[in-house]
Amino acid sequence: MDLSVLPHASALPRQAAHQDGVDESSQAPDAMGSTDRRRLEEAYALTGLAWWEWDVRTGRLSWSEGMRSLAGLEHLEREPTIHDWAPLLEPADVAATTVLEHQALTAGTPYRHVFRIRTPAGELRYLESWTGPLRDAAGDIVGLRGATLDVSDRESAQRAHQTSEAHFQVVFDHAPHGMAMVWLQGERAGDLIRANDAFARLLGWERADELVGTSLASWTPSAERPFSRSRFQAMAEGRSRGSAYSRQYLRRDGSVVHAWVTTAVIDDGAGVPEFVVAHCIDDTGRRQHLRELERLARTDALTGLANRAVVDSDLAVPPTVGPGAVTGLLMTDLDRFKLINDSQGHLVGDALLVQVAQRLRGAVAPRHTVARLGGDEFVVVLRAGEDGAPVDATSVAETVVAALREPFDLPSGDRVVLTTSVGVALVGDGADMQDLLKHADLALYEAKDVGRNRVVRFDAHLRARNEARVRSEVLLRTALREGLLRVELQPMVALCTGEVAGAEALVRLHGPDGSPVHTGDLITVAEETGLVVALDLWVVGEVARLLALDERRVREGHSPLMPLLVGVNVSGRTIEAGDFASRMGAVLADAGVPPRRFAVELTETSLLHDSGLVEATVEELVAMGVVVGLDDFGTGYSSLAYLPRFPLGFLKIDMSFVQRLGTSRRSDAVVAAVVDLAHAHDMTVVAEGVETTEQADALRSMGCELAQGWLFGRPAPVDLA
Ligand code: C2E
Ligand code: MG
Ligand code: MG
């Protein structure tokens, strides 16, 4: 048979179909009776199948009702012909259909076939046909007959599935990270079903197919196996639907690679875990990054030494003995480093610290931790050697001091020589690990206190002093809270007339047993703890209260008991805390006392503080009407060079100078020179600690205006009752 008679062939690009040569008069195929046809229709309707016959000789189609609606030709008012049907076929399916039709027509081969049509309304349908030859009474093939079903729903679901399968495959195979699928059940449990090339490369292979079929265990290093097994078991038993974790893989060459793995379990459809899909990222870079972060977190950025965190972790273990055990700690700082830093700038200071760090590291054995805590404060954590014996801490400390004694070259080309103080604390000294830092710090403090450039070891004496300090702190806090502090006044006398010109307020505290607390110690503790700010303001307030009371008494006709001017001592720490002048102003305003009745005594060290704050505070106080003076002159830097920066009204010569008067001509000359210099700066001179008439006479002859000391009066409480 000529292929061109097939109507679908008309859709082929070859040539238009024509029906020349078809004998219209040839025998009709078996005709179906109308009853038969109705029954058949009903049976077919039940199955959703539509039936049809096509006589190729006439082009006639004989269709069941169902076939019309399948084709979307319900509204066709006449019997359809092949020319109604043929254009509906999707062009892409024409060729395959034509070949099958041809085979059925020529060889009588039946076939089953899925194809697509587009209905006149434009809807795409998937149809499945079972087709066989239509024969005439003589048994000759005259056309085709068949049954057709609309399988659009089934087909589109299947296609969607195929699409998602294809997507999955693309994602899986081409993922930049390793992907692997492993069986969870049965004999093949643990075997690799599928992997991508990235996974193969992670494990040191070239292609994924080299790995498929191998088992999970074969690429799991032994250390990792127990974890791997328990994760696997949890997934296989449905206890885990997947997780994310870091693990190791054994590579082809035997090396180990770290990976970050995310797994997901896939069920068999009946809820039984069937296989697991793992997504694996090479974790080496991330781990390196983490290690680097960890290193940075433990490193002092400036010097590259360990930082405080390392010292804390070294000490965060209970004391042990034996090799490597922490046996003690050295704490060191550079004497007068601050001076270099302030005078030469931070860059020079930093360069110096870097050199100090290098020398320290070089001076002690590698097993000891050398750390910078901050500023110029360094720590060495001492560890026992191989033999477990503790090192001789003092000799290590001496080595450190010696190493730092060599001159340092500054970037400017200058050379500086520094001295170092070292505090030593040992584990055996009754210190627990946490105490080591504190004890070494106290020992260092002591080393500086007794004159710097030395090594001091924490001992029973320091411990007792420290405990006393702790007690004073508790006492001071309680006193501030409960108003237990008192003020005593010591008169200041005019040397020419012997008249009281003023007084100095000195703070007093008594312990619970009534014994006085040494004021010097109290102030040290107050400064160390920062409580001095509150203390100084309390004294200001208390003096203001006394002055106000006295003024009231005077108004009531009594003679005054308070001197015109009262000096209060103000610590450098109090000034540094900021806002002192306005806080003092507020306290005075509250009490209704004028500022001109106050003198403020500052020490040289607080004036030397390298901040504009001190200057501003002094200026503010003076502007308020307060007289500001310099206390304890001669104990600090004893330099008058900075004096012009401050509008100071008086200078107090320290009692150590006063008490040496008359012992040598030299000491007398020093005091006389100080008096002259102070006068040259328009300051009144006050001598402290005058105990004898000889001292008073000498001072008077030098031109010193005021004096204070036991000769004239001891500090005493004021009774205004
Ligand atoms: P300062 O300001 O130099 O006070 C003078 C100290 O010398 C007082 O000691 C006083 O009692 C003592 N003194 C006075 N005359 C004589 C004398 O003739 N011979 C001897 N040997 N000593 C004499 P105090 O009261 O123990 O005070 C010690 C230091 O404590 C004071 O030295 C002052 O710097 C500080 N201080 C006292 N009260 C306060 C306060 O309220 N705030 C602050 N920040 N410091 C205070
Ligand atoms: Mg004073
Ligand atoms: Mg003084």
Side-chain angles (χ1 to χ4, degrees):
M1 181 183 240
D2 179 6
L3 198 63
S4 64
V5 305
L6 295 177
H8 302 138
S10 63
L12 292 171
R14 282 179 30 202
Q15 64 187 108
H18 52 89
Q19 296 185 9
D20 298 353
V22 172
D23 181 1
E24 289 274 345
S25 62
S26 54
Q27 285 177 291
D30 315 338
M32 205 188 291
S34 62
T35 319
D36 293 344
R37 181 178 172 135
R38 208 188 57 248
R39 286 212 189 115
L40 197 59
E41 287 265 6
E42 283 168 5
Y44 268 67
L46 290 173
T47 64
L49 280 163
W51 63 264
W52 50 269
E53 284 175 3
W54 168 38
D55 188 331
V56 291
R57 295 168 306 176
T58 60
R60 250 192 65 214
L61 284 175
S62 178
W63 274 11
S64 69
E65 272 312 302
M67 193 60 206
R68 276 179 174 257
S69 57
L70 262 185
L73 293 173
E74 300 93 332
H75 307 301
L76 196 68
E77 283 177 353
R78 52 177 172 75
E79 275 290 300
T81 72
I82 196 66
H83 299 291
D84 296 310
W85 168 254
L88 302 183
L89 201 71
E90 269 291 289
D93 291 347
V94 168
T97 308
T98 306
V99 169
L100 290 168
E101 285 174 348
H102 178 65
Q103 278 169 358
L105 286 170
T106 51
T109 320
Y111 62 90
R112 184 175 142 254
H113 169 48
V114 177
F115 58 97
R116 290 163 298 175
I117 61 162
R118 196 168 290 277
T119 65
E123 188 190 336
L124 185 73
R125 289 184 179 166
Y126 286 87
L127 303 183
E128 181 166 17
S129 279
W130 289 262
T131 306
L134 178 69
R135 294 178 191 274
D136 62 12
D140 290 334
I141 297 171
V142 295
L144 299 172
R145 68 176 359 157
T148 297
L149 187 64
D150 183 345
V151 293
S152 300
D153 290 349
R154 187 191 80 195
E155 283 296 315
S156 55
Q158 197 172 332
R159 273 173 217 241
H161 177 73
Q162 279 163 358
T163 314
S164 88
E165 173 71 13
H167 284 171
F168 172 74
Q169 194 165 335
V170 168
V171 170
F172 190 97
D173 289 344
H174 300 286
H177 303 127
M179 301 281 291
M181 260 166 92
V182 169
W183 291 110
L184 284 174
Q185 307 294 351
E187 272 180 15
R188 295 172 66 192
D191 285 357
L192 186 71
I193 311 168
R194 181 172 174 170
N196 65 359
D197 288 344
F199 183 75
R201 284 193 297 275
L202 182 69
L203 268 58
W205 298 77
E206 262 167 41
R207 291 191 331 276
D209 52 16
E210 296 175 306
L211 270 175
V212 170
T214 59
S215 79
L216 177 61
S218 69
W219 11 278
T220 303
S222 52
E224 180 74 36
R225 275 188 204 149
F227 308 105
S228 170
R229 211 172 295 133
S230 80
R231 282 190 299 259
F232 188 88
Q233 233 33 60
M235 291 188 291
E237 290 165 15
R239 284 181 284 117
S240 159
R241 303 295 304 160
S243 51
Y245 47 90
S246 171
R247 65 159 288 165
Q248 301 174 17
Y249 286 114
L250 196 58
R251 304 186 84 227
R252 187 181 194 174
D253 61 5
S255 62
V256 162
V257 62
H258 289 265
W260 181 254
V261 179
T262 313
T263 55
V265 171
I266 312 264
D267 289 346
D268 63 356
V272 179
E274 191 175 21
F275 53 83
V276 53
V277 180
H279 176 254
C280 316
I281 301 175
D282 187 339
D283 210 14
T284 318
R286 191 185 67 104
R287 289 171 63 89
Q288 255 165 14
H289 184 64
L290 278 181
R291 264 201 301 277
E292 179 61 11
L293 281 182
E294 217 166 275
R295 192 187 67 74
L296 287 177
R298 295 168 62 83
T299 305
D300 171 55
L302 174 65
T303 61
L305 290 180
N307 63 11
R308 167 145 222 147
V310 179
V311 175
D312 286 344
S313 78
D314 278 0
L315 301 184
V317 290
T320 48
V321 285
V326 173
T327 61
L329 194 125
L330 308 183
M331 190 179 282
T332 169
D333 72 18
L334 309 170
D335 300 329
R336 302 207 164 93
F337 169 76
K338 198 174 174 328
L339 266 175
I340 295 179
N341 207 36
D342 289 350
S343 61
Q344 309 244 358
H346 293 294
L347 283 179
V348 173
D350 285 356
L352 191 58
L353 289 175
V354 170
Q355 291 183 53
V356 168
Q358 284 161 354
R359 289 209 195 159
L360 271 175
R361 189 60 273 185
V364 305
R367 66 173 185 280
H368 308 308
T369 303
V370 180
R372 184 169 81 116
L373 296 190
D376 62 334
E377 210 174 26
F378 295 88
V379 153
V380 180
V381 180
L382 299 170
R383 290 180 182 279
E386 284 295 300
D387 57 357
V391 271
D392 178 354
T394 314
S395 82
V396 177
E398 300 290 358
T399 317
V400 163
V401 169
L404 299 182
R405 199 178 288 138
E406 295 297 314
F408 289 91
D409 291 314
L410 298 184
S412 58
D414 293 340
R415 297 194 114 193
V416 288
V417 177
L418 293 177
T419 58
T420 314
S421 301
V422 182
V424 179
L426 299 183
V427 173
D429 290 341
D432 83 14
M433 303 294 261
Q434 298 308 310
D435 286 339
L436 277 180
L437 269 176
K438 202 167 70 197
H439 290 174
D441 193 25
L442 287 167
L444 175 61
Y445 194 85
E446 176 72 9
K448 296 207 163 256
D449 220 31
V450 294
R452 305 165 195 263
N453 192 19
R454 67 194 65 213
V455 176
V456 170
R457 180 177 151 183
F458 185 79
D459 57 9
H461 164 71
L462 273 182
R463 172 188 301 281
R465 264 215 0 222
N466 180 47
E467 282 165 1
R469 242 185 224 155
V470 171
R471 277 197 300 277
S472 311
E473 181 186 342
V474 173
L475 203 61
L476 179 56
R477 282 188 194 279
T478 321
L480 278 167
R481 200 175 50 237
E482 296 174 11
L484 304 178
L485 293 169
R486 294 286 170 265
V487 151
E488 287 187 356
L489 294 185
Q490 183 178 35
M492 231 184 269
V493 169
L495 278 170
C496 293
T497 62
E499 276 172 19
V500 173
E504 176 175 7
L506 295 157
V507 75
R508 296 291 177 254
L509 175 64
H510 292 267
D513 58 352
S515 62
V517 177
H518 183 255
T519 304
D521 289 349
L522 183 74
I523 299 302
T524 308
V525 169
E527 288 185 330
E528 278 170 13
T529 52
L531 292 170
V532 74
V533 181
L535 183 141
D536 285 349
L537 280 165
W538 180 84
V539 173
V540 169
E542 177 64 4
V543 170
R545 186 182 72 86
L546 294 172
L547 287 172
L549 266 179
D550 196 45
E551 277 180 14
R552 203 166 74 199
R553 287 182 64 261
V554 171
R555 282 197 300 274
E556 287 165 0
H558 302 283
S559 46
L561 292 173
M562 293 288 286
L564 266 181
L565 189 72
V566 181
V568 290
N569 295 283
V570 175
S571 158
R573 291 284 309 269
T574 304
I575 305 285
E576 274 172 61
D579 232 18
F580 176 73
S582 54
R583 289 169 85 174
M584 176 169 177
V587 170
L588 301 193
D590 228 29
V593 178
R596 70 183 140 72
R597 297 202 63 181
F598 277 83
V600 160
E601 301 186 4
L602 299 175
T603 59
E604 274 185 300
T605 33
S606 36
L607 289 188
L608 276 172
H609 252 285
D610 180 41
S611 76
L613 188 59
V614 187
E615 276 169 84
T617 307
V618 172
E619 269 161 27
E620 228 181 303
L621 287 170
V622 170
M624 272 161 60
V626 175
V627 189
V628 181
L630 184 55
D631 202 357
D632 300 341
F633 185 81
T635 56
Y637 292 86
S638 307
S639 149
L640 287 173
Y642 58 86
L643 287 184
R645 275 176 33 208
F646 302 97
L648 299 175
F650 63 95
L651 179 150
K652 279 185 142 180
I653 305 179
D654 191 68
M655 71 175 93
S656 57
F657 288 87
V658 172
Q659 293 182 348
R660 277 203 299 271
L661 281 173
T663 58
S664 73
R665 282 187 35 214
R666 212 180 111 85
S667 355
D668 292 8
V670 168
V671 177
V674 171
V675 173
D676 289 346
L677 276 165
H679 286 162
H681 286 89
D682 289 330
M683 286 187 277
T684 305
V685 183
V686 188
E688 282 186 306
V690 181
E691 293 180 357
T692 65
T693 42
E694 290 78 11
Q695 290 163 353
D697 292 343
L699 289 160
R700 192 182 301 111
S701 70
M702 290 171 188
C704 172
E705 290 95 345
L706 298 170
Q708 191 183 336
W710 295 349
L711 179 66
F712 309 104
R714 297 207 174 208
V718 212
D719 184 9
L720 294 177

